[in-house]
Amino acid sequence: MTKKAVLIGSLDTKGAEFRFVRDAVESLGVQTLVIDTGVLDEPVFAPDITRDEVALAGGMTIEELQEQRDRGTAVRIMTKGAEEVVRRLVDEGIVGAIFGMGGTAGTTVGAAAMRAVPIGIPKLLVSTVASGNTRPYVGEKDVMMMYSVVDIAGLNKLSSRILRNAAYAIAGMVDGTSQEKTQHEEKPMIAATMFGVTTPCVTKVREMLEQEGYDVLVFHATGTGGMAMEELVRAGFFVAVADITTTELADELVGGIFSAGPNRLQAAGLAGIPQVISVGALDMVNFGPPETVPPQFADRRFYQHNPTTTLMRTTVEENRQLGKILAERLNQSKAPTVLVFPKGGVSLLDKASQAFEGIEERKALYDAIKLHLRKDIPFLETDEDINDPAVSEMIGNQLLAFVTKEKGGVDHVHP
């Protein structure tokens, strides 16, 4: 089946702009499919999927939305409908790429539709809000956002150039992915989580697994990184998980900027995928520049990682809570699970003579995990810090024992 560039947006208020993009994409030999999410006025041109179909998929008729004339309800219904329509098109194998554009409402609808599309299918969203905080729109998906510079309100010299660039980009991605060939052998994949302060550990583990024929996908534990990994875990991409850097739990607990939400550290266990867990970077909570740190933390210990990232040391009490949270989430696991605890330090900053060295903090974390962790989950402990090669070897060997179904993969267990 021929893959198409799916264009989604309001053809009443943005019809001329969508027609411009459609024509530019088709001029390059790429077929399009246009979905109309407008509500009030007639579309500027006829779509392939009408607003009536989208509204019904969202739970109301277009006539009901027009009678209510409530913008909030209209956006909610058309967003839900767009998600359902796009999911169906993906299942039918039609979607080669997806394109959207608009202001806040158009961005909301387009982004929601894009988040319904699997990772790997190109997604491009031209938006008036793309220069601000894009996390609510992108989420954990590979959505590309292009700043429109000017409002999407008519075609002029500048807007035409920007929309033409976007059209060329989406057409190129459809054409490129349709012609590409697999350039390397498909290998079983293992997920890993990393921060700058756990890089030596994760790099060594990755190299060990790659030498044994596995592809290792490393996720930056920045909130969306953990969420993206766990979505791919649920989708069945991985044969095992090396969740070495669980720092997102600290941001969730304390209020940092890198929270991955309340369901972090559950996907692999519930999906039955073997996992090796560690406590990487639980010594820190992440904030932006120094002036963004909430005033209630003024007396805490900080480390300026770079001009835009301020790290705050977790306290003894916070580590006690983190240990309990981590253990309780692992206790839900239905999969082979091992926890590795490096007693010498949980990051490059949490070791002797470093900025976040915290003997009492680590002890609180250790004691809480031991107290609350299910007794049948192996607890591997070592005196080295997390970036010591011996810790990497312990993690890597356990993962290999899981994925190769070898016996005796657990050593140094302290129940």
Side-chain angles (χ1 to χ4, degrees):
M1 180 177 292
T2 301
K3 301 284 187 179
K4 298 181 180 181
V6 175
L7 279 54
I8 183 165
S10 300
L11 300 190
D12 51 0
T13 59
K14 307 288 187 246
E17 294 86 348
F18 271 99
R19 182 168 56 193
F20 180 87
V21 172
R22 181 202 64 181
D23 293 348
V25 171
E26 292 185 346
S27 73
L28 297 173
V30 174
Q31 296 183 30
T32 64
L33 186 150
V34 180
I35 303 171
D36 182 17
T37 60
V39 174
L40 294 179
D41 298 322
E42 289 300 310
V44 172
F45 66 95
D48 298 288
I49 295 179
T50 68
R51 62 183 61 189
D52 304 78
E53 296 175 72
V54 176
L56 283 173
M60 293 179 69
T61 67
I62 198 68
E63 291 79 15
E64 289 172 328
L65 290 176
Q66 290 171 341
E67 288 173 5
Q68 288 191 14
R69 300 188 73 84
D70 182 87
R71 183 179 176 84
T73 300
V75 170
R76 177 175 57 81
I77 293 298
M78 298 308 275
T79 296
K80 181 180 178 182
E83 292 175 338
E84 294 301 317
V85 169
V86 167
R87 284 194 184 96
R88 172 173 58 80
L89 294 176
V90 169
D91 291 342
E92 293 173 0
I94 293 173
V95 182
I98 184 165
F99 171 87
M101 61 176 157
T104 54
T107 299
T108 297
V109 176
M114 291 178 188
R115 293 195 302 272
V117 175
I119 291 173
I121 295 177
K123 310 163 185 68
L124 178 58
L125 185 56
V126 178
S127 171
T128 61
V129 295
S131 65
N133 176 17
T134 59
R135 182 173 181 178
Y137 306 111
V138 175
E140 65 275 14
K141 290 298 182 72
D142 53 341
V143 177
M144 293 175 283
M145 294 188 72
M146 177 186 289
Y147 183 41
S148 63
V149 183
V150 295
D151 202 353
I152 302 171
L155 296 168
N156 52 59
K157 184 177 181 179
L158 179 57
S159 66
S160 296
R161 179 70 269 166
I162 290 170
L163 294 181
R164 191 176 288 113
N165 288 344
Y168 293 164
I170 206 74
M173 287 186 281
V174 174
D175 187 55
T177 54
S178 67
Q179 297 185 40
E180 69 183 10
K181 296 180 180 179
T182 302
Q183 297 182 356
H184 60 85
E185 177 188 356
E186 293 290 336
K187 301 176 182 179
M189 294 193 296
I190 294 175
T193 51
M194 187 171 79
F195 238 25
V197 293
T198 60
T199 295
C201 175
V202 179
T203 299
K204 173 69 173 176
V205 172
R206 176 178 59 79
E207 291 171 348
M208 288 179 63
L209 297 172
E210 288 175 346
Q211 288 175 2
E212 297 299 324
Y214 294 91
D215 266 344
V216 181
L217 277 63
V218 179
F219 295 83
H220 201 192
T222 56
T224 51
M227 292 166 66
M229 181 195 75
E230 295 199 328
E231 173 162 327
L232 292 172
V233 166
R234 287 187 289 268
F237 276 75
F238 302 115
V239 297
V241 173
D243 209 340
I244 295 167
T245 311
T246 47
T247 185
E248 290 154 322
L249 298 181
D251 283 59
E252 176 199 347
L253 174 67
V254 183
I257 61 174
F258 289 160
S259 168
N263 297 318
R264 180 70 174 88
L265 206 64
Q266 297 182 52
L270 295 178
I273 296 172
Q275 57 182 341
V276 177
I277 309 296
S278 194
V279 289
L282 282 177
D283 57 327
M284 60 188 62
V285 178
N286 294 266
F287 296 104
E291 61 272 17
T292 68
V293 178
Q296 66 264 32
F297 299 128
D299 61 345
R300 297 284 290 271
R301 191 167 19 150
F302 295 97
Y303 181 83
Q304 200 62 43
H305 184 63
N306 59 49
T308 60
T309 306
T310 306
L311 309 179
M312 182 178 76
R313 186 50 164 109
T314 49
T315 65
V316 170
E317 178 55 33
E318 287 165 356
N319 275 275
R320 190 172 292 114
Q321 294 179 60
L322 287 168
K324 184 173 186 288
I325 291 168
L326 186 148
E328 289 176 344
R329 294 189 186 177
L330 293 187
N331 288 346
Q332 301 175 46
S333 177
K334 302 174 183 176
T337 298
V338 166
L339 190 139
V340 174
F341 195 102
K343 296 164 71 175
V346 303
S347 83
L348 287 172
L349 296 178
D350 176 35
K351 52 192 295 189
S353 302
Q354 296 302 308
F356 281 176
E357 180 184 7
I359 297 173
E360 292 303 315
E361 290 87 348
R362 288 199 302 274
K363 185 177 186 303
L365 180 64
Y366 174 91
D367 289 344
I369 294 173
K370 291 274 285 185
L371 176 63
H372 297 285
L373 189 67
R374 221 172 64 204
K375 300 307 179 186
D376 62 324
I377 295 178
F379 186 102
L380 280 63
E381 59 183 78
T382 173
D383 290 332
E384 290 80 14
D385 71 88
I386 195 167
N387 291 300
D388 189 284
V391 177
S392 301
E393 290 174 8
M394 180 181 291
I395 294 170
N397 287 332
Q398 185 58 57
L399 283 162
L400 289 171
F402 278 152
V403 296
T404 58
K405 293 182 169 55
E406 293 177 358
K407 301 297 183 182
V410 175
D411 298 313
H412 307 99
V413 179
H414 296 260

